[in-house]
Amino acid sequence: MNFSHDPKLNELALKVEAGKRLSFEDGVALYETTDLPALAKLADTVRRRRHGRTTYYNVNRHFNPTNICYADCKFCGFYRTPREADAYTHNIQDSLRIAGEAVKEGATELHIVGGLNTKLPFSYFTDLLASLKEAYPRLHLKAFTMVEIDHFARFYKMNDEDVIEQLKRAGMDSCPGGGAEIFRDPTRSMICAHKCDADRWLSLSGKVHAAGLKTNATMLYGHIENTEDRVDHLLRLREQQDKSGGFQCFIPLAFYPENTKLAHLPGPSGVDSLKTIAVSRLMLDNFPHIKAYWVMLGKRIAQVALHYGANDLDGTITDGGELSESYSVESNNEVKMSKGEIAALIEDAGFEAVERDTLYKPVVRETAAV
Ligand code: V47
């Protein structure tokens, strides 16, 4: 395969073709190439080998039970201190109403993530899950990141396995991939000093996998991190996946600076975002899925990212306004796409749109919703 004017990319193409693992240096070289079409082609070859033209989306809703958080992450525009006027915590009744709206709109998944709120007892979270599960037994509860699970274990003085078991018994079906940010120090300490460190995030993922649940993984890019931080992040995830095998999907999250303590930064460019999708697909050879998260990328870049190795666009994502108020590039519009719109985006890019559930099984509906 000799398709690039970049000799290093030709070398890496041979390696990928032969099914060989890419190294740290290879990852950096992929990022450094200026031959974007060849990088896209290479990532797309790997993606088509795994998934053909199939591109997944789901019908989901984000639900943030509380925005009160002590973590004080520099990149976050969502959290509030308890005294701020717009700090909130949803009670169970509210939560059921929000989940009920989602179910009525055809959601198969509720994505639940909140702040690290020390005013709440652990029973708030188990009661929340149990009530949601009882009212909507078919709604998949993708709930709590490794950072929240770490907080639960430390703050409520429980061991990790107990936390995971109790959440699972209450109704937690899988975990989203947030809180990974950038693993490597000093960058991690500079952007999220009060979150658990990389080893803890990774080992908790292993424990959730050992309990039989799937999780996702993310990487927040386009702020103060450098290329080496990113490649290191991907390799640590690949190593953990070799050990515990329960990651389903990797989601690179494009940093959105507005309303954060890093608002002076520009955020990643379109090219940087497309490269990040492609490098992720090529480095994470043991991750089944790469998601182009349209809320952060914008619909247009997310659509093009399907040609750079992504095989998932996330979901229709209705929310209660939290996403659009905090960190969505689509904030001028409602953070929402209809099924028709998301499927059209995929088909228009030359792929086949398949609605999936959280565990990537195709959803068969009796009546087609739009
Ligand atoms: O961990 C916070 C990121 C994450 C900003 O698992 C920001 O399917 C950009 O993890 N600009 C939470 N990103 C969201 C998340 C997620 C999203 C979609 C799907 C899945 C999944 C997981 O959002 C945080 C942080 O990395 N974030 N602030 C910001 N200003």
Side-chain angles (χ1 to χ4, degrees):
M1 214 194 302
N2 195 13
F3 56 75
S4 178
H5 59 71
D6 176 351
K8 183 66 188 172
L9 206 55
N10 282 324
E11 196 188 306
L12 295 180
L14 289 174
K15 222 169 154 178
V16 170
E17 182 76 352
K20 290 195 184 135
R21 272 215 151 158
L22 300 181
S23 67
F24 181 87
E25 290 71 28
D26 295 340
V28 173
L30 286 172
Y31 258 119
E32 281 173 355
T33 191
T34 52
D35 194 347
L36 216 56
L39 180 65
K41 180 88 189 140
L42 195 54
D44 186 55
T45 305
V46 172
R47 176 253 211 256
R48 283 177 198 260
R49 222 187 269 156
R50 272 187 178 271
H51 304 289
R53 289 173 59 246
T54 301
T55 298
Y56 295 102
Y57 69 95
N58 72 348
V59 180
N60 61 350
R61 175 159 180 157
H62 283 225
F63 171 59
N64 309 121
T66 178
N67 65 350
I68 297 174
C69 188
Y70 65 76
D72 188 28
C73 299
K74 304 301 170 231
F75 52 77
C76 181
F78 168 71
Y79 80 95
R80 298 289 182 270
T81 58
R83 284 162 180 272
E84 285 181 271
D86 50 355
Y88 71 80
T89 299
H90 288 300
N91 61 26
I92 301 250
Q93 205 182 345
D94 257 5
S95 310
L96 286 172
R97 179 186 51 75
I98 291 165
E101 282 168 15
V103 168
K104 215 178 280 167
E105 290 181 7
T108 57
E109 169 189 294
L110 194 64
H111 177 142
I112 306 174
V113 183
L116 308 181
N117 183 340
T118 54
K119 301 272 181 248
L120 300 169
F122 186 56
S123 58
Y124 168 85
F125 300 98
T126 47
D127 289 350
L128 174 68
L129 290 172
S131 311
L132 289 168
K133 211 30 139 192
E134 193 190 349
Y136 306 107
R138 293 174 63 192
L139 186 64
H140 182 109
L141 303 179
K142 185 173 81 175
F144 307 126
T145 66
M146 297 311 110
V147 168
E148 289 164 285
I149 292 179
D150 167 65
H151 162 73
F152 295 154
R154 287 185 303 109
F155 189 70
Y156 304 114
K157 299 189 172 37
M158 294 163 69
N159 74 43
D160 300 338
E161 286 74 11
D162 280 350
V163 171
I164 294 163
E165 198 45 50
Q166 289 197 36
L167 294 173
K168 189 178 161 188
R169 216 175 304 140
M172 179 175 83
D173 294 307
S174 70
C175 297
E181 320 311 355
I182 284 287
F183 288 142
R184 199 161 80 144
D185 268 322
T187 304
R188 187 174 187 81
S189 307
M190 288 164 79
I191 58 170
C192 55
H194 305 296
K195 268 185 177 158
C196 65
D197 68 13
D199 287 346
R200 178 80 176 136
W201 191 98
L202 290 162
S203 79
L204 275 175
S205 301
K207 289 181 182 184
V208 176
H209 299 165
L213 300 186
K214 300 287 186 193
T215 70
N216 289 338
T218 56
M219 172 176 77
L220 182 69
Y221 69 95
H223 43 91
I224 62 164
E225 88 291 0
N226 59 28
T227 303
E228 285 75 14
D229 287 336
R230 295 180 187 187
V231 177
D232 170 82
H233 190 94
L234 297 174
L235 290 191
R236 289 200 211 195
L237 286 173
R238 189 172 78 182
E239 199 183 314
Q240 182 60 45
Q241 180 76 326
D242 279 344
K243 290 187 206 155
S244 56
F247 291 118
Q248 296 201 104
C249 179
F250 177 67
I251 310 121
L253 294 169
F255 174 54
Y256 184 69
E258 224 169 90
N259 302 322
T260 75
K261 291 184 176 142
L262 300 176
H264 56 286
L265 298 176
S269 70
V271 165
D272 194 14
S273 287
L274 293 172
K275 274 187 171 179
T276 300
I277 292 278
V279 176
S280 305
R281 179 61 287 166
L282 292 165
M283 298 304 291
L284 294 176
D285 54 17
N286 53 5
F287 270 62
H289 306 285
I290 304 291
K291 188 185 283 184
Y293 185 47
W294 64 266
V295 176
M296 295 303 182
L297 291 173
K299 294 172 189 173
R300 291 171 181 83
I301 294 281
Q303 184 187 37
V304 178
L306 300 179
H307 283 281
Y308 281 73
N311 67 293
D312 189 343
L313 272 191
D314 201 274
T316 48
I317 318 179
T318 57
D319 79 313
E322 292 103 342
L323 269 178
S324 36
E325 278 164 23
S326 52
Y327 48 66
S328 159
V329 288
E330 301 286 344
S331 57
N332 292 334
N333 308 307
E334 214 183 343
V335 181
K336 188 171 180 169
M337 267 208 276
S338 69
K339 281 180 56 160
E341 206 183 336
I342 209 165
L345 217 62
I346 293 169
E347 305 275 343
D348 183 50
F351 294 95
E352 186 198 344
V354 174
E355 184 189 342
R356 62 162 174 89
D357 65 15
T358 310
L359 302 174
Y360 287 86
K361 295 205 181 62
V363 170
V364 182
R365 292 184 187 266
E366 277 150 30
T367 48
V370 267

